[in-house]
Amino acid sequence: MEEKVMKNKSPKLVMIIILTALVIVGGSVSAFFLVNKSPKVQYLLAEAETFKQMGTILEDRYKNELRWLEVQQEKPVESNFDLSGEWNDPSADYEMQEVQSIVNSAKVSSKQVFDPVKKELEVDLRGELGSVNMNFGSVFVTTEKIVASLPFMDELIRFDDKDYGKLMRENDPDYKGNENLGLSQLFEDGFSMTEESRTYVEKEYIAYLIKGIPEEAFTSEKEELTVFDKKIKTKKIKMNLTEQQVKKLLKDLLEKAKSDEKLKTILKEQMKLTSFAGDTSDNEITTIMDGFENGLDEAIEGVDSIKLPNGLQSTIWHHSNKIVKREFAMGVGEDKTDVDTLMISGTQLLEKAGQKWDFTVGVEDSFGDENIVKIKGDLSWKDQKATDSITLTMDDMKFIYKGKEQLKDKKRTFTRSLGFTDGDVDPAVIWKGSATHENDSMKAKHEFTFSEESMGVNMFNLILKQQGKVVKKVDMPVETEDTVNIGKMNKDELEAFTEDAMVKVQDWMFGFMEDLQGEIGEF
């Protein structure tokens, strides 16, 4: 039976399930409903307004942090990180105490300067062990080149983005990949669309899907509920799509995507944004897109063969366009004897001062066996103080998050823990710290502690100190005629340079190891 339950679903079925999920997505639909207040519109508007409310709650609570993120997207910012460890084991023997001393005297530091306007980046890395300092060098990046200043080289090392294809052919004459390294992608958000592309997808697909859902699929009635001990007058709206209605929506959407050249262009752009150093060449992207089109053909053909015996039922209860209760069920299978049913049910109360939810998400197979996950949350934010608790339960295992925060002026102090328990062990990671965000700077200290009953607390600590500030620019290094441009080398020149560099690296490492051994000997 277990093998039956866990068997893999076909790709076409997976695609169909994913697209069907769009039916209950309401991320940005409110703009499409200005006058009509039919049950269908109320349902979709409640979805959109609930999603919007969640964003508003997040923005209100973490407005200082979000403002600092905006600053980093608009101005050059220097960020400094110091990472160190603490090992406190009073029961350690003499030899382990020496090891503890070494760990407690070690630190790794990094500086990053990022200019989102000029698209320039500097990263350097340093290390300390007692009195021994180690400089790993600095790397400077623009959309056109990489320049490295390394401690074992007297000259700057440069590589141009446009020389990537040439360099690859020096090592492999049959190389057919990208000509550019793709440095410009380091300055792009690989998971975001342009505003134009986002608007197009919303208009052509989300709006198209919304219009395709028949009005007669929705019914509404008034109902009073008790949600977390609070009586609420709600509007209950049920969306009941038959098997044929769901299949028609899917086929129409798939057919539209199949013939949409602009959508394919957007998908290609997204793949390029997530590709770096030629890991996805133009030829590979073409192959992927061919697979996408073939997958759409298979999905269109497969729509009629899948079974949705009960169609799709989704019911929401909302108050002032905010959802307080939800029930969802849809069974999908490739034949009537093998149908897996996705079920979601629960209540939520999303208010400015506190948010609570209690949901059950599960899948029931054709044998009646259920795999259930229960998700409970209780978050509060009042008088600039927070007390949070989130529990995720699967069978006998619980994942537990707890947190306390206080915001005073622009300084946030917090204690957060993430752990799990199965009845026998209950390890947790405890995150304590503080962070202050100004308009042009920030500083923070984070302390991570691993806790388990047999070990106690504060035995192993990881400490991260962080500082950020707005600066004028990235100080790019001054290149001279001695700068070594790797991309201009032929194969023989590159091999000679590599051999010489390896000798210098070995000498540098040997000197460092001597200093390190001397330092360790003093512990």
Side-chain angles (χ1 to χ4, degrees):
M1 181 180 298
E2 183 176 334
E3 182 178 350
K4 181 79 172 177
V5 173
M6 298 301 292
K7 72 176 187 177
N8 292 328
K9 301 296 181 186
S10 67
K12 65 183 179 183
L13 184 57
V14 172
M15 181 175 289
I16 288 168
I17 293 172
I18 292 172
L19 287 172
T20 303
L22 288 173
V23 173
I24 59 169
V25 171
S28 57
V29 300
S30 59
F32 301 110
F33 313 117
L34 299 177
V35 179
N36 186 5
K37 293 297 183 180
S38 68
K40 171 182 171 179
V41 170
Q42 292 180 49
Y43 177 99
L44 296 167
L45 189 59
E47 292 279 9
E49 290 299 309
T50 301
F51 184 83
K52 180 180 178 181
Q53 184 189 29
M54 293 167 62
T56 301
I57 290 170
L58 179 66
E59 291 174 4
D60 178 65
R61 183 161 167 172
Y62 295 106
K63 57 186 176 183
N64 294 335
E65 289 83 349
L66 293 172
R67 188 182 298 117
W68 177 246
L69 288 176
E70 292 177 357
V71 170
Q72 295 179 80
Q73 295 170 356
E74 299 169 354
K75 299 178 181 180
V77 170
E78 177 185 313
S79 301
N80 289 276
F81 303 89
D82 292 320
L83 181 65
S84 60
E86 288 184 358
W87 183 3
N88 305 303
D89 185 359
S91 63
D93 57 23
Y94 178 76
E95 291 184 357
M96 292 306 297
Q97 287 178 3
E98 288 186 330
V99 176
Q100 285 186 173
S101 298
I102 294 172
V103 171
N104 293 340
S105 67
K107 182 171 73 172
V108 177
S109 301
S110 175
K111 182 181 79 171
Q112 300 175 20
V113 186
F114 180 76
D115 188 336
V117 179
K118 291 185 177 180
K119 296 188 176 181
E120 295 176 341
L121 171 67
E122 173 191 354
V123 179
D124 68 51
L125 187 64
R126 305 173 303 281
E128 295 179 14
L129 182 60
S131 62
V132 176
N133 295 317
M134 187 174 190
N135 179 14
F136 294 95
S138 302
V139 176
F140 302 83
V141 185
T142 71
T143 58
E144 298 177 349
K145 63 184 179 180
I146 299 175
V147 179
S149 175
L150 304 173
F152 49 84
M153 299 290 293
D154 295 327
E155 310 88 354
L156 293 172
I157 311 299
R158 172 174 171 169
F159 180 74
D160 290 349
D161 183 84
K162 64 183 180 181
D163 292 330
Y164 180 75
K166 172 183 175 298
L167 180 67
M168 295 299 290
R169 281 187 290 274
E170 288 290 341
N171 293 278
D172 180 8
D174 297 325
Y175 174 73
K176 303 294 184 182
N178 292 345
E179 289 299 308
N180 297 330
L181 180 60
L183 294 177
S184 61
Q185 295 162 23
L186 292 175
F187 302 91
E188 303 292 342
D189 185 349
F191 298 96
S192 68
M193 292 184 181
T194 64
E195 188 65 29
E196 178 185 358
S197 296
R198 186 184 302 108
T199 301
Y200 178 81
V201 172
E202 290 177 356
K203 180 180 178 180
E204 294 296 323
Y205 286 89
I206 297 180
Y208 178 85
L209 183 62
I210 289 169
K211 292 177 182 177
I213 302 175
E215 292 278 356
E216 60 269 21
F218 296 84
T219 58
S220 68
E221 61 181 299
K222 295 180 180 180
E223 184 173 326
E224 186 173 86
L225 297 178
T226 300
V227 180
F228 297 106
D229 299 325
K230 185 175 182 179
K231 287 188 176 182
I232 302 175
K233 292 182 179 180
T234 72
K235 179 70 71 68
K236 175 184 177 182
I237 306 177
K238 184 174 184 179
M239 177 175 65
N240 189 351
L241 294 172
T242 66
E243 181 176 35
Q244 292 306 315
Q245 286 172 331
V246 174
K247 288 183 177 182
K248 184 180 186 305
L249 282 170
L250 288 172
K251 291 181 75 171
D252 289 348
L253 199 66
L254 291 167
E255 291 283 2
K256 180 176 175 62
K258 179 183 175 181
S259 59
D260 190 341
E261 296 301 322
K262 186 165 184 177
L263 176 65
K264 295 172 187 177
T265 300
I266 292 173
L267 292 175
K268 288 179 183 178
E269 291 173 351
Q270 289 302 112
M271 280 188 279
K272 288 181 179 180
L273 284 175
T274 56
S275 168
F276 181 70
D279 60 352
T280 308
S281 67
D282 290 340
N283 290 336
E284 288 172 323
I285 289 177
T286 300
T287 301
I288 292 171
M289 291 306 301
D290 289 341
F292 170 74
E293 293 182 20
N294 293 334
L296 286 177
D297 287 333
E298 287 186 26
I300 291 169
E301 294 176 2
V303 167
D304 289 330
S305 65
I306 64 170
K307 303 301 178 185
L308 305 164
N310 298 311
L312 183 155
Q313 299 92 39
S314 178
T315 306
I316 62 170
W317 290 256
H318 75 88
H319 175 74
S320 298
N321 289 329
K322 310 299 189 298
I323 296 174
V324 296
K325 183 178 179 179
R326 180 192 298 280
E327 290 181 356
F328 174 89
M330 184 177 72
V332 183
E334 294 183 321
D335 59 69
K336 290 183 178 180
T337 62
D338 181 23
V339 174
D340 292 340
T341 302
L342 172 64
M343 302 172 295
I344 302 172
S345 63
T347 55
Q348 63 186 27
L349 198 57
L350 306 178
E351 299 175 326
K352 185 175 181 180
Q355 302 83 46
K356 295 182 179 181
W357 64 88
D358 185 352
F359 276 90
T360 298
V361 180
V363 176
E364 181 181 43
D365 64 21
S366 55
F367 300 98
D369 295 328
E370 295 182 348
N371 291 313
I372 299 294
V373 177
K374 294 184 178 181
I375 308 169
K376 291 185 178 182
D378 188 350
L379 314 182
S380 69
W381 179 246
K382 187 177 181 180
D383 299 328
Q384 305 295 287
K385 295 181 181 179
T387 301
D388 301 332
S389 175
I390 301 174
T391 304
L392 188 151
T393 305
M394 296 183 293
D395 296 326
D396 295 329
M397 182 173 292
K398 286 185 178 182
F399 293 86
I400 303 168
Y401 168 82
K402 291 184 178 181
K404 287 185 177 293
E405 301 179 11
Q406 180 174 358
L407 182 63
K408 189 174 183 180
D409 295 327
K410 295 186 178 181
K411 181 178 181 180
R412 186 185 304 275
T413 55
F414 52 84
T415 300
R416 302 160 179 157
S417 69
L418 179 63
F420 77 91
T421 178
D422 60 2
D424 295 323
V425 295
D426 53 352
V429 174
I430 300 171
W431 175 17
K432 295 181 179 180
S434 63
T436 303
H437 292 82
E438 304 288 350
N439 292 331
D440 59 355
S441 65
M442 68 83 63
K443 62 179 180 179
K445 180 179 180 181
H446 309 274
E447 182 176 330
F448 301 91
T449 302
F450 181 77
S451 172
E452 205 278 321
E453 186 176 357
S454 63
M455 296 171 49
V457 295
N458 295 324
M459 184 176 291
F460 299 103
N461 299 326
L462 198 62
I463 300 170
L464 176 64
K465 294 181 180 180
Q466 180 183 2
Q467 287 189 323
K469 61 181 179 180
V470 174
V471 295
K472 292 183 178 180
K473 62 177 182 176
V474 176
D475 291 324
M476 297 292 293
V478 178
E479 297 181 51
T480 67
E481 60 183 12
D482 294 328
T483 298
V484 179
N485 195 328
I486 297 176
K488 305 303 181 186
M489 295 180 178
N490 59 37
K491 185 176 181 180
D492 293 337
E493 291 171 333
L494 186 61
E495 288 179 351
F497 169 77
T498 301
E499 291 177 1
D500 179 61
M502 289 303 298
V503 171
K504 293 180 179 179
V505 170
Q506 291 173 1
D507 291 342
W508 174 71
M509 285 296 298
F510 182 75
F512 171 72
M513 291 304 295
E514 283 188 330
D515 293 340
L516 192 60
Q517 288 176 354
E519 183 70 21
I520 292 175
E522 296 180 4
F523 284 106

